[in-house]
Amino acid sequence: MPWARGYAAVKAGEATALIPTIRSVEREALFDFPGEPIFQAEIALFARAFKPLKWSGRPSDLVGLSFVRLRGALVSPEFDQAVREGRLHCEQAHGFGAAMRMLAAGRFDFAAMPKLAGLQIAAAEGLSARVRVLEPAPHVQAFYLAFARPPELAKLRQRVD
């Protein structure tokens, strides 16, 4: 199911676990996390191929611009703080493919998503010539399997550990 729907289902106890998810203070209050991440991935920023965009690796480079990310997703502690403070304008998409298509259509200045997923989507949708990855990556993110909180799932989470 779409990630945001899966998040809501695990939060409500209607599903056992969610993968992948980013561990945060807010999410630790909702879910039970194993001690180790499942994997790590570069979070990349994608921009239109022919539109100049100054990027040195600091969110302050992008103040005043708009970007799109997966609904409910986190980018990096610095980006997420800039969004909360209103220094970066962020819209949300239902999927990485939708975010990439919106970027290619010029609706946003950049898109944030895991680098490998973004490259795969750009290739699959024929957008590789229209988008580019901005370097350096703003963040390398650990992704976790997040379990619902019912006590009977604690033993399952311990087995994953």
Side-chain angles (χ1 to χ4, degrees):
M1 66 179 65
W3 188 88
R5 191 177 339 148
Y7 181 95
V10 175
K11 182 178 170 184
E14 298 166 357
T16 302
L18 175 67
I19 186 171
T21 193
I22 297 170
R23 193 173 188 161
S24 69
V25 173
E26 296 85 9
R27 291 177 182 175
E28 285 179 345
L30 301 172
F31 306 120
D32 192 13
F33 287 91
E36 297 293 322
I38 299 293
F39 67 95
Q40 293 187 343
E42 279 187 358
I43 301 299
L45 302 182
F46 290 82
R48 284 176 279 149
F50 302 107
K51 183 178 182 196
L53 194 65
K54 177 188 167 202
W55 170 246
S56 67
R58 294 185 315 270
S60 59
D61 293 340
L62 306 172
V63 169
L65 301 179
S66 64
F67 79 103
V68 61
R69 67 179 175 190
L70 181 67
R71 182 170 307 287
L74 300 173
V75 176
S76 76
E78 297 83 11
F79 265 81
D80 301 332
Q81 183 69 29
V83 169
R84 281 192 298 276
E85 293 173 355
R87 291 181 283 128
L88 287 176
H89 176 73
C90 176
E91 294 290 333
Q92 300 184 66
H94 292 289
F96 293 137
M100 193 64 78
R101 288 187 299 276
M102 287 188 269
L103 172 65
R107 290 181 54 193
F108 298 98
D109 297 301
F110 65 98
M113 65 187 73
K115 184 176 183 178
L116 182 57
L119 291 171
Q120 290 172 329
I121 289 164
E125 302 223 1
L127 300 172
S128 296
R130 295 175 57 195
V131 298
R132 63 187 168 98
V133 177
L134 300 177
E135 297 291 346
H139 191 61
V140 174
Q141 183 62 61
F143 288 90
Y144 289 83
L145 176 63
F147 289 92
R149 283 270 181 200
E152 61 272 12
L153 291 178
K155 289 181 181 174
L156 177 59
R157 196 257 318 136
Q158 289 169 349
R159 286 199 331 241
V160 169
D161 274 345

